Amino acid sequence: MGIVAGLDSSPDFTRIVVCDTDTGSVLRQGYAPHPVEGPDDSRPSDVDPQAWLLSLGEAAGGGLLEGVQAIGVSAQSNAVVPLDAQGATVRPAMVGGDKRAQVAAADLVEALGGREAWAQAVGCVPTAAQPVTKLRWLQKTEPDNARRTAMLMQAHDWLVWQLLGRPVRRTTDRGGASGTGYWSAASGAYRSDLVELALGHQAMLPEVIGPAEAAGTTPEGLLISVGTGETMAAAFGLGVGFGDAVVSLGASGSVMAVHPEPLLDSAGMITSLADATGMHLPVVTTLNAVRTLRGTAELLGLPDLETLSDLAMKSTPGAHGLVLLPYLEGERIPNLPHTAGTLAGLRREAMRPEHLARAAFEGMLCGLADALDVLRGRGVEVRRIFLLGPAAELPAVQAAAPSVFGARVVVPQPADYAAIGAARQAAWALGVSQGTLDPRTPPAWQGAAAQVLDPGEELAVGQAVRQQFVSVREQTHPGAFRS
């Protein structure tokens, strides 16, 4: 039995798991929040990368890594670390969905010739969160810092580089690179012209190496795997494979699935990412998921989502004809950025709090089913759906999701899946280096402990709910999915 570690450096904390290489069983774990910045520090979208290292060191304290043979690194996606020619940070890392970059995103879309041009070039259309857009913002807003920028790294690249003692060779993986906006999952190559378009000049970029390759070995003999982005690591930790989709319930929602080839979408509805195994990870994002539930709870004067769920369970499927189109922040799927939500089907007998509560849950799930259908319409097979996020535990979600989605739903027990995915990657690289694992086949770890929900006899009922939703959507926004 060997021992490996996976660390996940999220926006707020570092979590480390130490796992058995054969089964993936978590043997021990560590946690530390990132140091809190003072009131005079830089804006919240700017973070000193040293904070990630300090948090990592604290999480690994107490001999946590004793006996570990390899480490994998997962880190927040979309962060970009600009470095000068000597490898020093030019400015704090730009992280998260940086609203400062919204104008820069629109500038980039126009500069390349529109959304379709970007989708064809790199499989995604620039948003305020992506590194390529932040580079454009840097060029326009901090031109001196832009000129000093000679190298670009993402959060997991930078952490791996630091763990290895800042070697000359800098590496990244396909998964992380595919989210930058200047690497194409379809061609497997950087688009350095897009870096120049955004930053104003060329910059050195990390070498993209294979999923099972090691980034290097520390002087103490500790192997460091290539690392990956948080989204890819979580999918790897869950054990998602062909036929599986992951539906994530945050304030907004996302649907992703493993697919053998990239899906280029001229409409920009699909973001074509790479996964942590050598396959592809098409993602469709909605603007409205749990925010729909929170808004409804506030409207009804309810204290929390658990109470909203209990109320919804007093209604019946179809909510007595009430249909909520949950486009409260506009919507991306379908592309209706300036619209508002719609409540349809109001009749005297339907005007009860429990029916509105039920309509909110069904509207949220039907909106995500629309996103699933975007992938299904491109040939992605969906037999099983992993449902993630605290809202996945709500009875009203679990009662409706399998029949509305038309598939088996798996609700994994809460765990540090990104850190587990990073550890699994470390075990893979370690096994390949020792000649015990195939570089094309990751270690077969035990799957996530989960609750499994089947549509069963409720399938027809759920599909009727879905059809009711689609009819209202088509009447209210005719041709929205064809525009």
Side-chain angles (χ1 to χ4, degrees), residues 282-302:
V283 181
V284 179
T285 305
T286 69
L287 294 178
N288 301 278
V290 175
R291 63 165 39 101
T292 303
L293 305 182
R294 295 202 183 283
T296 306
E298 290 168 5
L299 178 66
L300 293 173
L302 302 178

Side-chain angles (χ1 to χ4, degrees), residues 73-84:
V73 177
S74 155
Q76 55 186 299
S77 302
N78 295 323
V80 61
V81 185
L83 305 171
D84 64 19

Side-chain angles (χ1 to χ4, degrees), residues 9-11 14 34-35 47-57 76 79-81 93 95 154-156 158-159:
S9 181
S10 81
T14 297
H34 293 328
V47 175
D48 184 348
Q50 292 297 326
W52 306 333
L53 278 183
L54 291 170
S55 173
L56 190 165
Q76 55 186 299
V80 61
V81 185
V95 302
Q154 293 178 276
H156 74 87
W158 188 85
L159 284 166

Side-chain angles (χ1 to χ4, degrees), residues 39-40 73 192 255 272 299 314 435:
D40 297 326
V73 177
S192 55
V255 178
S272 187
L299 178 66
K314 296 177 181 177

Side-chain angles (χ1 to χ4, degrees), residues 21-307:
T21 56
D22 296 328
T23 66
S25 296
V26 176
L27 306 175
R28 50 188 186 265
Q29 49 194 319
Y31 166 87
H34 293 328
V36 177
E37 296 178 345
D40 297 326
D41 280 344
S42 53
R43 292 163 289 213
S45 295
D46 296 332
V47 175
D48 184 348
Q50 292 297 326
W52 306 333
L53 278 183
L54 291 170
S55 173
L56 190 165
E58 186 179 343
L64 183 76
L65 299 180
E66 187 175 340
V68 165
Q69 298 164 274
I71 293 179
V73 177
S74 155
Q76 55 186 299
S77 302
N78 295 323
V80 61
V81 185
L83 305 171
D84 64 19
Q86 286 71 47
T89 51
V90 168
R91 68 177 316 284
M94 295 176 280
V95 302
D98 196 336
K99 291 185 177 180
R100 297 173 298 176
Q102 288 175 341
V103 172
D107 285 349
L108 281 176
V109 171
E110 183 179 355
L112 195 65
R115 297 170 62 85
E116 185 172 354
W118 277 97
Q120 293 295 327
V122 288
C124 58
V125 179
T127 66
Q130 283 180 302
V132 71
T133 306
K134 290 166 180 168
L135 297 182
R136 179 74 160 194
W137 177 89
L138 189 65
Q139 186 211 145
K140 297 293 185 182
T141 313
E142 300 179 3
D144 288 343
N145 285 336
R147 280 190 291 271
R148 288 176 55 217
T149 299
M151 294 184 279
L152 298 171
M153 302 186 92
Q154 293 178 276
H156 74 87
D157 308 337
W158 188 85
L159 284 166
V160 165
W161 189 52
Q162 297 294 323
L163 289 173
L164 290 171
R166 298 162 57 102
V168 173
R169 186 190 190 211
R170 291 171 295 274
T171 60
T172 191
D173 86 307
R174 299 167 63 256
S178 67
T180 59
Y182 44 81
W183 187 87
S184 167
S187 67
Y190 281 117
R191 286 289 302 265
S192 55
D193 58 317
L194 299 182
V195 174
E196 185 167 358
L197 179 68
L199 186 62
H201 60 86
Q202 296 290 346
M204 293 179 63
L205 302 168
E207 176 189 352
V208 180
I209 63 175
E213 288 187 63
T217 305
T218 68
E220 297 77 29
L222 186 64
L223 183 143
I224 309 294
S225 63
V226 61
T228 194
E230 213 164 28
T231 299
M232 298 79 191
F236 198 38
L238 281 165
V240 176
F242 291 128
D244 293 334
V246 178
V247 174
S248 183
L249 301 177
S252 55
S254 68
V255 178
M256 63 182 179
V258 176
H259 200 58
E261 56 192 30
L263 295 180
L264 297 182
D265 175 33
S266 60
M269 289 192 291
I270 298 173
T271 298
S272 187
L273 301 177
D275 80 342
T277 72
M279 299 299 164
H280 295 268
L281 201 66
V283 181
V284 179
T285 305
T286 69
L287 294 178
N288 301 278
V290 175
R291 63 165 39 101
T292 303
L293 305 182
R294 295 202 183 283
T296 306
E298 290 168 5
L299 178 66
L300 293 173
L302 302 178
D304 50 44
L305 298 187
E306 288 74 18
T307 308

